[in-house]
């Protein structure tokens, strides 16, 4: 009973802090509100007996929100805790879409005759996940790995201020390269 | 603690995130909306795992969702940096070239 109440309370916290992201007057507070929402969901995942995933969600999202707060300061160029802001467009359309989506999802959730649980959880959930990742599900992680490497490369290419075209010209044949700080060995 | 309750909470979080992704002008705020939507997917997937089929493979799906969220953040920040560098802005309304 106590667990049920805590689960629902955490859900309310997650939804309200999620909504606060788009209501509060500063981007710093929005970031913290999003972190609270993620931590609440992470604890809910812990309630659902998935210790590893829950802890990963909490730790990862707290760090991610810290990085996001830095980006807020970088881009907004102002004290992000003090500056009121309201930067929205198509507000009515967005509200209507969100409400309709919730009603549609809620109707589906309540109408569907959910099947009974199949099987029972393994005694050691985290151990079972590790064995799955190292065994029959290894291909999944093996596919994700190159995607992550590609993301690192793409992220650096997108965010880099100067590319090889700036250095070597449009045909990549310009020598020596046009560098703001020339190389130290006469190149 | 029922499947319906967890999924309803998840649907509410998803809808809030959808509102943010549609309505916000700042790129980083749009990313926050997307993050909330993925947050809802994490909760829904965890609830489905626990209440419907608590086998080990279901948890792998959650790991994939978390990985997808990480990739979205990384690419989103890269695009935000690029937009800021190229246009001196962080607003989506200033990057509507493909909508013409």
């Amino acid at each position: 009973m106590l667990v049920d109440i805590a689960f629902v309370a955490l859900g309310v916290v997650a939804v309200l802090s999620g909504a606060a992201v788009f209501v509060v007057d500063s981007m710093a507070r929005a970031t913290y509100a999003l972190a609270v929402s993620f931590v609440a969901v992470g604890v809910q995942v812990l309630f659902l007996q998935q210790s590893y995933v829950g802890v990963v969600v909490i730790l990862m999202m707290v760090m991610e929100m810290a990085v996001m707060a830095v980006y807020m300061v970088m881009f907004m160029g102002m004290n992000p805790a003090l500056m009121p802001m309201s930067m929205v467009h198509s507000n009515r359309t967005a509200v209507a879409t969100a409400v309709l989506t919730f009603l549609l999802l809620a109707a589906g959730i309540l109408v569907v005759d959910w099947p009974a649980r199949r099987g029972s959880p393994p005694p050691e959930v985290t151990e079972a996940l590790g064995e799955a990742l190292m065994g029959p599900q290894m291909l999944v992680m093996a596919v994700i790995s190159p995607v992550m490497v590609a993301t690192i490369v793409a992220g650096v290419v997108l965010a880099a201020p100067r590319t090889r075209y700036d250095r070597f010209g449009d045909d990549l044949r310009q020598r020596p390269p046009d560098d703001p700080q020339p190389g130290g060995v006469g190149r | 603690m029922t499947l319906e309750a967890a999924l309803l909470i998840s649907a509410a979080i998803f809808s809030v995130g959808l509102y943010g992704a549609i309505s916000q002008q700042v790129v980083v705020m749009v990313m926050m909306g997307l993050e909330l939507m993925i947050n809802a997917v994490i909760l829904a997937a965890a609830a489905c795992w626990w209440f419907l089929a608590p086998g080990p493979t279901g948890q792998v799906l959650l790991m994939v969702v978390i990985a997808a969220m990480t990739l979205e953040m990384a690419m989103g920040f890269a695009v935000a940096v690029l937009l800021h560098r190229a246009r001196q802005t962080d607003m989506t309304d200033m990057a509507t070239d493909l909508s013409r």
Side-chain angles (χ1 to χ4, degrees):
Chain A
M1 183 63 185
L2 208 60
V3 172
D4 293 350
I5 294 172
F7 188 83
V8 172
L10 283 167
V12 172
V13 168
V15 175
L16 290 182
S17 54
V21 171
F22 308 111
V23 173
V24 292
D25 265 349
S26 87
M27 286 198 148
R29 286 177 196 144
T31 311
Y32 299 140
L34 188 59
V36 169
S37 179
F38 269 108
V39 170
V41 167
V43 176
Q44 280 186 308
V45 173
L46 288 178
F47 273 122
L48 294 167
Q49 306 299 317
Q50 292 168 84
S51 324
Y52 180 72
V53 177
V55 169
V56 163
V57 168
I58 292 172
L59 292 180
M60 203 177 83
M61 295 324 296
V62 168
M63 284 310 296
E64 208 168 291
M65 289 309 113
V67 172
M68 196 172 248
V70 172
Y71 267 77
M72 296 294 188
V73 177
M74 278 169 55
F75 287 130
M76 299 306 286
M78 61 191 184
N79 186 338
L82 300 175
M83 196 66 76
M85 55 157 200
S86 173
M87 287 175 282
V88 293
H89 55 185
S90 313
N91 198 34
R92 282 186 183 175
T93 312
V95 170
T97 308
V99 171
L100 275 175
T101 304
F102 176 72
L103 292 177
L104 195 65
L105 290 173
I109 291 163
L110 296 175
V111 167
V112 167
D113 184 20
W114 295 100
R117 181 196 249 187
R118 277 186 305 169
S120 56
E124 290 292 337
V125 174
T126 306
E127 187 181 325
L129 172 62
E131 284 178 353
L133 288 179
M134 287 294 133
Q137 304 298 324
M138 187 181 272
L139 184 62
V140 179
M141 287 297 139
V143 170
I144 289 177
S145 300
V147 174
M148 284 192 160
V149 173
T151 306
I152 294 171
V153 174
V156 171
V157 168
L158 281 176
R162 287 166 56 80
T163 66
R164 57 182 177 161
Y165 297 104
D166 296 306
R167 299 185 70 225
F168 296 114
D170 291 340
D171 57 359
L172 299 178
R173 289 185 179 176
Q174 176 182 306
R175 295 293 185 281
D178 177 20
D179 287 332
Q181 183 71 40
V185 289
R187 285 180 293 182
Chain B
M1 204 161 73
T2 62
L3 176 63
E4 285 84 357
L7 291 181
L8 279 174
I9 293 168
S10 166
I13 298 173
F14 186 88
S15 304
V16 171
L18 182 64
Y19 163 77
I22 296 175
S23 68
Q24 296 298 308
Q25 287 181 306
V26 180
V27 175
V28 185
M29 292 296 281
V30 173
M31 284 167 58
M32 284 186 164
L34 295 174
E35 294 268 308
L36 268 177
M37 291 163 77
I38 299 176
N39 195 19
V41 173
I42 289 175
L43 179 58
C48 286
W49 176 84
W50 178 247
F51 289 107
L52 296 181
T57 52
Q59 288 192 91
V60 177
L61 175 66
L62 272 165
M63 300 303 291
V64 172
V65 172
I66 293 171
M69 185 159 61
T70 318
L71 302 184
E72 175 258 318
M73 283 289 285
M75 292 312 297
F77 281 137
V79 169
V81 171
L82 178 67
L83 189 61
H84 194 263
R85 206 186 294 285
R87 306 258 170 104
Q88 300 297 312
T89 183
D90 58 351
M91 311 282 276
T92 52
D93 291 346
M94 302 292 284
T96 56
D97 308 46
L98 294 179
S99 69
R100 288 172 195 155

